[in-house]
Amino acid sequence: MLEIHDLQKSFGDLHVLRGINLNIQKGDVVAVLGSSGSGKTTLLRCMNFLEHADAGTMVFDGQQVELSRITHAQIHALRRRTGFVFQNYNLFANKTALQNVTEGLVIARKMDKHQADEIARAALDKVGMGDRCDHYPSQLSGGQQQRVAIARSLVNQPRVLLLDEPLGALDLKLRKEMQLELKRLQREMNITFVYVTHDQEEALTMSDTVVVMNKGNIQQIGSPQDIYNEPRNAFVAKFIGDSNIVDGIMEKDFLVSFGGQEFACVDRGFKPREPVQVVVRPEDVDIVPPSAGKLTGLVREVIFKGVHFEMHVDVEGKEWLIHSTQASQPGELIGMNIGPDEIHIMSREEV
C-alpha cells in the first residue's frame, strides 16, 4: 500500500538518507531499526512530510508523488491518511485528555464538537483511558500520556500510523505492557504501523518486517526470524543481538572450516576455498566435555543473567560469547560443538 523509491535527504553537506527503497504491505507492522544517526527518524518524518525530501517518489494506494516537487494540496491529502505518534507525546498541557484528542477533529476536520467528543471518548476507551477523559497531562503517568497520544492519532482513522520511538521514555515494565497494547490495537483496527526504534528486542517482538538502517542506508529488510538467523552482513549480525563472528574458509558446499576444524553447515554457492566470515549466535553453542568438543576454550568470565549464564570463553586467542543455562567456572576448560543449522556464512565483501 506504500512504496518509497530512491528517497534522499541531506542537511547541508550531511547526507542523512542515501536512496531509500521500501515497500510496505497493508496491515503490516514494519519496524525501522538503527542506532542514533542512522536516519530512521528522518525517514519517518519524510514519510509524513515533516521533513521535505530532496529526491525520490512515494506511491500511496496507487497515487504517485514526486517528493521534491510535492504540493501543499498533495501533502494535506496524504497526511489525512497517516497518523504520527511522537516519542515525547506532544500533548497540550492546558487541555484535558479528551480535549487533546478532539482538537484535530474540530479544527482540521471541522467536526461538530458533540460528534468529536463521542469519537474521542470511543478512542480513549479503546486505549484504556476512558476513565481519564477529564485529566490533564500533568495528572497522567508517562504510559497514560502515550495512550492519549495514540488515541489522538487513531481518531482520524489513518491508513498508516507512523510511530517515532513511542515507548522510549517509559520504564522497562511499562514498555513491555505497551508493546502488547500496541500489537492488540494494530490487530483490532488493521492499521499499518511503521515503527521506529533503536531497541532490537522491541523490533523483533513488535514487527512483521524489520528494516535495519545504518548511516542513511538500508542494510537488510526481512522478517524478524530472517534478520536474526540470516544476517546479511557483519553490521546486522552485531546489531541484532549478540554474535560470534570468526574468519573461516568455505571448503565446498555445506562444509566450512574455522578454528582449525571442519564443520558441516547448510550454506552453499560459495567458491571452493573462498575466505568467509562465520556467524554463530551465543545460544547456539553446545557445551560438552573437552574431549567431546570440536573446539575447546578456556572460560574467562561468567555472568548470571537470570534466564541464562553469559560466559566469555577464550578459543585460540579469540573471545567467544556463550549463553547457557548451566554455568562453567572461570578457569575451566570446556568443549564446544555447533550444529550445521547454527552456522551462518557471510562473504568477506559483505562485511
Side-chain angles (χ1 to χ4, degrees):
M1 68 176 300
L2 178 61
E3 301 174 25
I4 294 172
H5 301 285
D6 197 29
L7 191 156
Q8 301 180 46
K9 175 65 180 176
S10 298
F11 295 101
D13 294 332
L14 179 63
H15 297 285
V16 181
L17 298 174
R18 302 170 179 269
I20 299 297
N21 294 285
L22 187 59
N23 292 332
I24 297 172
Q25 303 299 316
K26 180 181 178 181
D28 269 6
V29 178
V30 178
V32 182
L33 178 65
S35 56
S36 297
S38 62
K40 59 188 186 298
T41 293
T42 300
L43 171 60
L44 205 69
R45 291 173 65 85
C46 286
M47 291 172 67
N48 199 44
F49 313 106
L50 296 170
E51 299 285 353
H52 289 277
D54 301 327
T57 60
M58 178 185 289
V59 182
F60 198 148
D61 283 339
Q63 177 187 353
Q64 179 171 313
V65 293
E66 293 289 335
L67 295 176
S68 61
R69 298 197 297 270
I70 193 167
T71 66
H72 289 294
Q74 288 174 320
I75 290 175
H76 180 71
L78 289 168
R79 274 186 177 167
R80 289 196 63 173
R81 287 182 273 174
T82 62
F84 201 104
V85 178
F86 297 88
Q87 180 179 353
N88 60 357
Y89 319 137
N90 273 18
L91 299 179
F92 296 108
N94 62 338
K95 295 183 183 295
T96 65
L98 182 64
Q99 290 168 337
N100 266 281
V101 178
T102 59
E103 186 81 8
L105 295 172
V106 173
I107 294 176
R109 295 178 60 180
K110 312 298 182 185
M111 188 177 290
D112 172 79
K113 187 179 185 305
H114 177 72
Q115 183 184 6
D117 279 357
E118 286 187 351
I119 294 173
R121 287 183 187 277
L124 287 166
D125 277 337
K126 191 171 286 291
V127 298
M129 291 294 292
D131 60 345
R132 298 287 194 276
C133 288
D134 297 326
H135 287 60
Y136 290 89
S138 61
Q139 298 172 308
L140 302 173
S141 68
Q144 290 171 333
Q145 290 183 56
Q146 190 60 285
R147 288 170 187 264
V148 175
I150 291 167
R152 182 179 58 186
S153 295
L154 294 178
V155 290
N156 291 311
Q157 298 181 317
R159 302 265 286 141
V160 177
L161 186 61
L162 309 174
L163 303 101
D164 186 12
E165 303 208 37
L167 310 182
L170 306 181
D171 62 54
L172 179 61
K173 182 175 183 296
L174 188 54
R175 189 162 68 243
K176 290 187 178 298
E177 291 176 0
M178 284 299 296
Q179 287 175 10
L180 297 176
E181 185 71 13
L182 282 172
K183 288 190 74 171
R184 179 187 67 80
L185 286 168
Q186 191 273 335
R187 284 195 302 268
E188 286 184 0
M189 303 185 73
N190 195 30
I191 297 175
T192 303
F193 276 17
V194 182
Y195 189 103
V196 159
T197 181
H198 66 273
D199 187 313
Q200 296 96 326
E201 182 181 348
E202 190 168 274
L204 297 176
T205 300
M206 292 285 296
S207 65
D208 303 299
T209 301
V210 179
V211 179
V212 183
M213 293 188 64
N214 183 41
K215 296 180 180 179
N217 293 299
I218 292 177
Q219 298 293 311
Q220 188 171 350
I221 300 174
S223 69
Q225 295 86 352
D226 288 342
I227 294 289
Y228 187 82
N229 294 321
E230 298 290 334
R232 180 174 296 170
N233 56 38
F235 174 83
V236 176
K238 291 176 181 177
F239 192 74
I240 306 294
D242 296 312
S243 292
N244 299 293
I245 303 178
V246 298
D247 291 335
I249 299 294
M250 198 68 186
E251 302 292 346
K252 59 181 181 179
D253 286 351
F254 311 117
L255 186 67
V256 64
S257 62
F258 60 91
Q261 298 290 331
E262 291 186 344
F263 291 82
C265 63
V266 297
D267 296 86
R268 62 180 179 178
F270 294 86
K271 299 175 183 177
R273 299 286 301 167
E274 179 178 343
V276 295
Q277 287 212 313
V278 181
V279 180
V280 180
R281 295 290 186 182
E283 65 272 19
D284 290 335
V285 179
D286 291 328
I287 297 177
V288 296
S291 59
K294 295 201 72 172
L295 297 176
T296 57
L298 184 66
V299 178
R300 296 296 189 187
E301 187 177 12
V302 179
I303 303 169
F304 179 58
K305 291 286 188 174
V307 295
H308 65 258
F309 293 91
E310 178 180 286
M311 290 179 283
H312 297 255
V313 180
D314 187 323
V315 182
E316 296 187 341
K318 167 75 175 178
E319 183 180 280
W320 280 64
L321 190 65
I322 300 176
H323 294 167
S324 176
T325 55
Q326 295 183 337
S328 301
Q329 300 301 314
E332 182 180 348
L333 189 67
I334 62 171
M336 300 158 53
N337 285 334
I338 309 162
D341 290 329
E342 278 66 58
I343 295 172
H344 174 65
I345 308 299
M346 301 184 302
S347 296
R348 293 279 180 94
E349 303 85 56
E350 296 177 348
V351 177

